[in-house]
Amino acid sequence: MNTTAHPAPATSPSALHDALLARLRRVHLLGTVSGLLGWDEQVNLPADSADQRGDQMALLAELQHAAATDPETGRLLDALERQTDALDADQRVNVREARRDYDRAARLPADLVAEKARLTSAAYHAWAGAREDNNFPAFAPFLEKHLDLARREADVLGFGQKPYDYAIDKHDPGMTCELTAALFADLKTGLVPLVQRLDASPAARAAAGIEARLTGFDTAAQQTFLTEVTTAIGFNYRRGRIDVSLHPFCEGAGADIRMTTRFHEDKPLDALFSAIHETGHGLYEQGLPLPLQGTPLGQAAGMAVHESQSRLWENQVARSRAFWRHFEPRYREHFPQQLASVSPEDLYRAINSVAPTLIRVESDEVHYNLHILLRFELERRLFSQKLAVRDLPEAWRALAKELLGLTPETDREGVLQDIHWSGGAFGYFPSYCLGNMIAAQLWATVRAALPGLEDDFARGDFSRLLGWLRENIHAHGRRFTAPELVRHVTGTDLSPAPLLAYLEERYGSLYL
Amino acid sequence: MNTTAHPAPATSPSALHDALLARLRRVHLLGTVSGLLGWDEQVNLPADSADQRGDQMALLAELQHAAATDPETGRLLDALERQTDALDADQRVNVREARRDYDRAARLPADLVAEKARLTSAAYHAWAGAREDNNFPAFAPFLEKHLDLARREADVLGFGQKPYDYAIDKHDPGMTCELTAALFADLKTGLVPLVQRLDASPAARAAAGIEARLTGFDTAAQQTFLTEVTTAIGFNYRRGRIDVSLHPFCEGAGADIRMTTRFHEDKPLDALFSAIHETGHGLYEQGLPLPLQGTPLGQAAGMAVHESQSRLWENQVARSRAFWRHFEPRYREHFPQQLASVSPEDLYRAINSVAPTLIRVESDEVHYNLHILLRFELERRLFSQKLAVRDLPEAWRALAKELLGLTPETDREGVLQDIHWSGGAFGYFPSYCLGNMIAAQLWATVRAALPGLEDDFARGDFSRLLGWLRENIHAHGRRFTAPELVRHVTGTDLSPAPLLAYLEERYGSLYL
């Protein structure tokens, strides 16, 4: 009989690993609470309750940071790293990723973290006001401070020579500025001619007008239809839900995924495709191994991979003819009057309309990539100090003209349009375009691997696709970086070629 | 210039008091997060997400307990108690109440707290199953363990000789078993004859049937109407909201009050009066001084006072003729067909129908008190060990027959009907009846203090009543115990006489 009141601390590799995971799960669990508070803030919070929510979020962030930087976690990692030979492959992934997270959290000085939090709050309000007033100079000092903090953060974490690499790696482990720049350059070479042909196409111009004819769609019926669609493609509403917020998003992890969309009677495709996009994110989260929740192997591989999942379902799947072969009859049952004068081909063209716009979030999937190339180029110049913050509006206008063929008349339609920089979220934009590339690359691979896949869609069956994604993407958690995962799954390096081929196939056949 | 890197710890009474409040606010803020998780669980949680929510709640409870029992709080209290002469009256209230909370939290052994948490979870499922199967013996062992834990808890906290006093004091500081028993005995003496006369009244029997004619009330219109009503009586929807849950409740504090109700097309009064009841709770929370949120002077005085606020708005106000003089025309506008064959007098009688029932939560405001007397008597006997758990069903039946004139055929309609004991919440039931008494006592006082008050209601103006409650009840926070508060506000001791007079006035005039 063991009569020791306090057992000796665990020292076997397996016991140390278990102790590490217990700590990681605790940090994660606090994160899920913060996530729920954030979701509730966007979905439910009464108008005058924001201060209290801010206090709650700050306290949770403090507790989460304390848990993430607990020196005992560092000691466990040290001990585990001394005996990695005794660990299996999964355990080594957990130690590697836990070390990455721990070092990044623990090395950051508390005053830098606090300063960034304060700045983010102030910069958000400054940005919102500057956008409203079309007054970039009012926002510029906040952006300069954010850039300065981002450089300091990169320096502390060992990226002093390549601060923008840190910004990118933070969202997409394994990606660098150089790699991203090479991919984007190749993409641009292929994309610009396609865009020029589409922009010059009378058929594409005509299609862009069709969407405006979709009006008077009752929002309750919209909601019913999009619930049918998102259920059919595989979202498990017993472990998640969809609500309404100003900007659509997907929040949560593991057993509780909260998605949102927004409804306008005269823009029915907006709510539907937003919901399908968020469902792609939700399917990824729901597909991560639930028993490993809160540990690296139960977490997403990065923002680009996350975005690839949402884009694949939104674009490759839900904008396809096969998808609408199944859903169009249902859609017309819900909206017989509204669609009476819209032919099947016109509906399909409305779903796949292509036209340049100055606003990223309103952009179609072809032009969208150019919006990202613009932002990436500007971030790169800012970080390499080839561009000063005060010269941003002018540089934005020049690049918008070059890439989109449009010049913003105001900074509201230009440099002030996005929220990201007000939060210091540099290096985040590239994920969107990398996600588009990965989605197309996965799409080419899965179509070859699963013949007749689109016939499944036409029957309303998405289970083979989802199963393939679960097995090939979701099941890996953070085992691979995005470039590694793409190579592992597709057998080729991350490349813009499949995206270009996909866009050419879909939009060339429609409009060129 | 002060070059001290770490300033010396604060020692002035005022600085110590500020430090104490900062710690209390932190505990409170964690409590508001737990509260939101609990609200979300009842309102939003997907069906299969309960385990994750359980883990989140357990972690928050652990963090809150750690914050509430931090020895530094004890040191601050010790220091402040050594110099109470230097504190003002408000500060002394804070120290007194913080001491009460701290000692109760800190003195409880962690194993007792953990054991109670585990038991509560197991006992809930045992109770739900036993209720379903009408099998009290399956629940009895859990109830016995809860009683044992409750006695141990009382003993640790210095109530060893009077464990039921602790159970009552826990929910209503200042109340004892003896005081409650004396009040309830007086109430019973006056109430039983009134109930007998009402139960024998053909007019009352006829009225009980009218409610069944209120059918086919569209729930969206119900929601619109109850929002109108609850807004009119003063609920601030910019600092709160109302949603739908299985059982109505009010959760939250300060800047963010979450109420719920539930809708049935054929029971429109249920949703409406549930919402008004919860609005009464919400008005109290919204009326507590917001700048003092999280400190004793910004918290409710106990469950009985809380219940007095919900009952006063639900019963004295919203079941009055004056109230319906204003709202009946609006109600008929929302439901013209449904109310076409219901005369104004019949509608008023449906709102004030009186009939005995075995189920507490379905009971009218007259009989409701008898349900509480029954439970109080049984809890008292259990705690004084004059009644064994195994003999509870028989004792319940005997008391139901004596008090309500009805004998439950099954334990589902008897001893197994309420959830409270499955959570070890002894001493909680009396608050409901004490709340009814306090509401009636306040009602008598405010009607005398504010002549023409019901004329206000008939004009849809509830601001004078709300203002009076804010000033006389809400503004005090935990300054007074319930008996002290009643004496302070009404000039007389807590008594059942005003409740008896009110019931006689309202129901005697209708049915006798």
Side-chain angles (χ1 to χ4, degrees):
Chain A
M1 187 183 166
N2 182 355
T3 55
T4 314
H6 298 285
T11 50
S12 78
S14 164
L16 290 168
H17 178 262
D18 287 350
L20 176 69
L21 292 199
R23 290 180 164 271
L24 300 184
R25 285 184 204 273
R26 196 178 162 91
V27 177
H28 169 80
L29 203 54
L30 282 167
T32 65
V33 175
S34 289
L36 191 83
L37 291 176
W39 169 84
D40 183 84
E41 182 165 17
Q42 303 295 318
V43 173
N44 297 315
L45 201 72
D48 293 345
S49 309
D51 286 351
Q52 178 168 329
R53 181 52 43 88
D55 290 343
Q56 292 168 329
M57 298 283 273
L59 179 55
L60 262 290
E62 180 197 320
L63 292 167
Q64 199 182 356
H65 183 73
T69 60
D70 189 325
E72 179 57 22
T73 302
R75 283 190 287 272
L76 285 169
L77 285 168
D78 292 343
L80 282 160
E81 284 161 351
R82 280 195 297 270
Q83 42 192 327
T84 46
D85 291 350
L87 301 176
D88 67 25
D90 283 3
Q91 292 172 329
R92 265 177 255 172
V93 172
N94 285 332
V95 170
R96 180 192 77 207
E97 295 298 309
R99 166 61 75 188
R100 175 185 155 99
D101 294 347
Y102 177 75
D103 281 0
R104 293 203 172 179
R107 284 186 189 164
L108 276 188
D111 64 344
L112 197 152
V113 174
E115 195 178 339
K116 184 168 171 183
R118 275 194 304 273
L119 176 61
T120 293
S121 177
Y124 169 76
H125 293 288
W127 165 74
R131 184 166 180 257
E132 185 73 23
D133 303 341
N134 193 41
N135 178 3
F136 180 77
F139 175 56
F142 296 89
L143 186 51
E144 278 163 6
K145 278 184 205 142
H146 258 315
L147 269 171
D148 179 53
L149 281 183
R151 282 205 198 85
R152 275 171 58 199
E153 186 177 330
D155 193 42
V156 169
L157 294 170
F159 289 84
Q161 300 306 308
K162 295 186 168 182
Y164 193 43
D165 273 19
Y166 168 67
I168 290 175
D169 180 88
K170 204 170 159 180
H171 303 107
D172 288 304
M175 292 302 300
T176 62
C177 176
E178 195 182 347
L179 178 53
T180 306
L183 291 167
F184 284 6
D186 286 353
L187 177 66
K188 184 178 165 189
T189 304
L191 190 59
V192 168
L194 173 63
V195 167
Q196 284 168 347
R197 286 155 63 216
L198 286 170
D199 288 356
S201 155
R205 249 202 319 278
I210 301 171
E211 206 179 336
R213 283 163 47 203
L214 305 179
T215 58
F217 283 60
D218 173 68
T219 60
Q222 283 191 50
Q223 193 156 12
T224 305
F225 179 68
L226 74 77
T227 304
E228 280 177 30
V229 170
T230 53
T231 301
I233 66 180
F235 188 79
N236 179 358
Y237 279 100
R238 294 185 63 86
R239 291 188 176 277
R241 49 184 289 137
I242 188 160
D243 291 271
V244 173
S245 68
L246 195 57
H247 298 286
F249 65 89
C250 177
E251 172 61 68
D256 190 4
I257 306 300
R258 308 279 171 114
M259 314 189 296
T260 69
T261 188
R262 59 188 167 194
F263 294 100
H264 302 290
E265 290 209 343
D266 300 337
K267 280 186 174 183
L269 299 181
D270 181 63
L272 177 62
F273 281 93
S274 292
I276 296 170
H277 178 97
E278 302 308 336
T279 298
H281 286 301
L283 290 173
Y284 187 12
E285 289 292 332
Q286 290 190 333
L288 292 163
L290 194 61
L292 305 180
Q293 207 195 334
T295 74
L297 288 171
Q299 288 169 337
M303 286 315 303
V305 177
H306 230 306
E307 206 60 30
S308 80
Q309 300 303 292
S310 56
R311 297 301 169 112
L312 191 147
W313 287 101
E314 177 192 0
N315 294 328
Q316 277 82 3
V317 177
R319 295 190 199 273
S320 70
R321 288 200 186 273
F323 182 94
W324 285 94
R325 201 156 301 139
H326 177 72
F327 281 112
E328 189 183 331
R330 294 290 302 139
Y331 202 36
R332 289 183 184 273
E333 276 176 47
H334 282 291
F335 303 104
Q337 272 90 47
Q338 294 87 338
L339 292 169
S341 66
V342 182
S343 73
E345 185 61 22
D346 276 359
L347 178 61
Y348 185 66
R349 289 182 179 219
I351 287 162
N352 286 285
S353 68
V354 175
T357 163
L358 283 163
I359 305 300
R360 177 183 59 89
V361 296
E362 295 171 2
S363 185
D364 60 80
E365 64 166 325
V366 186
H367 289 86
Y368 193 96
N369 301 289
L370 298 172
H371 288 268
I372 300 306
L373 265 49
L374 181 158
R375 286 156 181 77
F376 170 74
E377 179 60 28
L378 293 175
E379 288 194 345
R380 193 159 68 136
R381 291 189 206 164
L382 285 171
F383 271 83
S384 66
Q385 297 185 295
K386 287 180 184 149
L387 176 66
V389 165
R390 68 173 172 278
D391 299 325
L392 255 181
E394 189 47 47
W396 186 293
R397 279 191 288 274
L399 270 178
K401 179 74 190 155
E402 179 196 327
L403 289 166
L404 298 163
L406 300 170
T407 307
E409 289 194 17
T410 68
D411 288 338
R412 289 169 68 165
E413 295 176 303
V415 65
L416 287 172
Q417 70 179 265
D418 291 314
I419 193 174
H420 302 58
W421 289 343
S422 79
F426 307 109
Y428 190 101
F429 285 119
S431 306
Y432 294 127
C433 187
L434 294 170
N436 285 338
M437 288 187 200
I438 297 171
Q441 203 158 341
L442 294 177
W443 180 238
T445 303
V446 70
R447 282 216 289 185
L450 304 177
L453 187 60
E454 285 170 285
D455 298 335
D456 290 10
F457 299 173
R459 288 191 311 273
D461 180 0
F462 303 89
S463 61
R464 278 205 300 159
L465 174 61
L466 182 57
W468 188 88
L469 291 169
R470 290 245 153 104
E471 185 185 335
N472 289 281
I473 305 293
H474 307 180
H476 292 306
R478 287 165 66 180
R479 184 182 306 279
F480 302 113
T481 64
E484 288 168 354
L485 184 63
V486 168
R487 200 176 310 119
H488 180 83
V489 177
T490 70
T492 54
D493 281 335
L494 179 54
S495 151
L499 176 59
L500 290 166
Y502 155 76
L503 293 175
E504 180 72 43
E505 178 190 336
R506 174 157 298 172
Y507 295 96
S509 69
L510 261 179
Y511 302 124
L512 301 178
Chain B
M1 184 183 170
N2 183 355
T3 55
T4 314
H6 299 283
T11 50
S12 79
S14 165
L16 290 168
H17 179 261
D18 287 349
L20 177 69
L21 291 199
R23 290 180 163 270
L24 300 184
R25 285 183 203 274
R26 194 178 163 91
V27 176
H28 169 80
L29 203 53
L30 281 168
T32 65
V33 175
S34 289
L36 191 84
L37 290 176
W39 170 85
D40 182 84
E41 181 165 18
Q42 303 294 318
V43 173
N44 296 316
L45 201 71
D48 293 345
S49 309
D51 286 352
Q52 179 168 329
R53 180 53 42 89
D55 290 343
Q56 292 168 329
M57 297 282 272
L59 178 56
L60 262 290
E62 180 197 320
L63 292 167
Q64 199 183 356
H65 183 74
T69 60
D70 189 325
E72 179 57 22
T73 302
R75 282 191 286 273
L76 286 169
L77 285 168
D78 292 343
L80 282 160
E81 284 162 349
R82 280 195 297 270
Q83 42 192 328
T84 46
D85 290 351
L87 302 176
D88 67 25
D90 282 4
Q91 292 171 328
R92 266 177 253 171
V93 173
N94 285 333
V95 170
R96 180 192 74 206
E97 295 297 310
R99 167 61 75 187
R100 175 186 155 98
D101 294 348
Y102 177 75
D103 281 0
R104 294 202 173 180
R107 283 186 191 165
L108 275 187
D111 62 346
L112 198 153
V113 174
E115 196 177 339
K116 185 168 170 182
R118 276 193 303 273
L119 177 61
T120 293
S121 175
Y124 169 76
H125 293 288
W127 165 74
R131 184 165 179 257
E132 185 73 24
D133 303 339
N134 193 42
N135 178 4
F136 180 76
F139 175 56
F142 296 89
L143 186 50
E144 277 162 6
K145 278 183 204 142
H146 258 317
L147 268 172
D148 179 54
L149 282 182
R151 281 205 200 85
R152 276 170 56 198
E153 186 176 330
D155 193 43
V156 169
L157 293 170
F159 289 84
Q161 300 306 308
K162 296 186 168 182
Y164 193 43
D165 274 19
Y166 168 67
I168 291 174
D169 181 88
K170 204 170 160 180
H171 304 107
D172 288 304
M175 291 303 298
T176 62
C177 175
E178 196 182 345
L179 178 52
T180 307
L183 291 166
F184 284 6
D186 285 352
L187 177 65
K188 185 178 161 187
T189 303
L191 190 59
V192 167
L194 174 62
V195 167
Q196 284 169 346
R197 285 156 63 216
L198 286 169
D199 288 355
S201 156
R205 252 202 318 277
I210 301 171
E211 206 179 337
R213 282 162 49 203
L214 305 178
T215 58
F217 282 61
D218 174 68
T219 59
Q222 283 191 48
Q223 194 157 12
T224 305
F225 179 67
L226 73 77
T227 305
E228 281 177 30
V229 169
T230 53
T231 302
I233 66 180
F235 188 79
N236 179 357
Y237 279 101
R238 294 184 63 87
R239 291 189 176 275
R241 49 184 288 137
I242 188 161
D243 291 272
V244 173
S245 68
L246 194 58
H247 298 286
F249 65 89
C250 177
E251 173 62 69
D256 189 3
I257 306 299
R258 308 279 171 113
M259 314 190 295
T260 70
T261 188
R262 58 186 168 194
F263 293 100
H264 302 290
E265 289 208 343
D266 299 337
K267 282 185 173 183
L269 298 181
D270 181 64
L272 177 62
F273 281 92
S274 292
I276 296 170
H277 177 97
E278 302 309 335
T279 298
H281 286 301
L283 290 173
Y284 187 10
E285 289 292 333
Q286 290 189 334
L288 292 163
L290 195 61
L292 305 180
Q293 208 196 333
T295 73
L297 287 171
Q299 289 168 337
M303 286 313 305
V305 178
H306 230 304
E307 205 61 28
S308 79
Q309 300 304 290
S310 54
R311 297 302 169 113
L312 191 146
W313 287 101
E314 177 191 2
N315 293 328
Q316 277 83 3
V317 177
R319 296 191 198 273
S320 71
R321 288 201 187 273
F323 182 94
W324 285 94
R325 202 156 299 141
H326 176 72
F327 282 112
E328 190 183 328
R330 293 291 302 140
Y331 203 35
R332 290 184 182 273
E333 276 175 45
H334 282 291
F335 303 104
Q337 273 89 45
Q338 294 87 337
L339 291 170
S341 67
V342 181
S343 72
E345 185 62 20
D346 276 359
L347 178 60
Y348 185 65
R349 288 182 178 220
I351 288 162
N352 286 284
S353 68
V354 175
T357 163
L358 283 164
I359 306 299
R360 176 182 60 89
V361 296
E362 294 171 2
S363 185
D364 61 80
E365 65 166 323
V366 186
H367 290 85
Y368 192 96
N369 301 288
L370 298 173
H371 287 268
I372 300 306
L373 265 50
L374 181 158
R375 286 155 179 76
F376 170 73
E377 179 60 26
L378 293 176
E379 289 194 343
R380 193 159 67 138
R381 291 188 205 164
L382 285 170
F383 272 83
S384 65
Q385 298 186 294
K386 288 181 185 151
L387 176 66
V389 164
R390 67 174 172 279
D391 298 325
L392 254 181
E394 190 46 46
W396 186 292
R397 279 191 288 275
L399 271 177
K401 178 74 189 155
E402 179 196 327
L403 289 166
L404 298 164
L406 300 170
T407 306
E409 289 192 19
T410 67
D411 288 339
R412 290 168 68 165
E413 295 176 302
V415 66
L416 287 171
Q417 71 180 264
D418 291 314
I419 194 175
H420 302 58
W421 289 344
S422 78
F426 307 109
Y428 190 100
F429 286 118
S431 306
Y432 295 127
C433 186
L434 293 169
N436 285 338
M437 288 187 201
I438 297 171
Q441 203 157 341
L442 294 176
W443 180 238
T445 303
V446 70
R447 282 214 289 185
L450 305 177
L453 187 59
E454 285 170 285
D455 298 335
D456 290 9
F457 299 173
R459 287 192 312 271
D461 180 0
F462 303 89
S463 61
R464 277 205 301 158
L465 173 60
L466 182 58
W468 188 88
L469 291 170
R470 290 247 153 102
E471 184 185 335
N472 289 281
I473 305 292
H474 308 179
H476 292 305
R478 288 165 65 179
R479 183 183 306 279
F480 301 114
T481 64
E484 288 168 356
L485 184 63
V486 168
R487 201 175 309 118
H488 180 82
V489 177
T490 70
T492 54
D493 282 335
L494 179 54
S495 151
L499 176 59
L500 290 166
Y502 156 75
L503 293 175
E504 180 72 41
E505 178 190 338
R506 176 158 299 172
Y507 295 96
S509 70
L510 261 179
Y511 301 125
L512 301 179

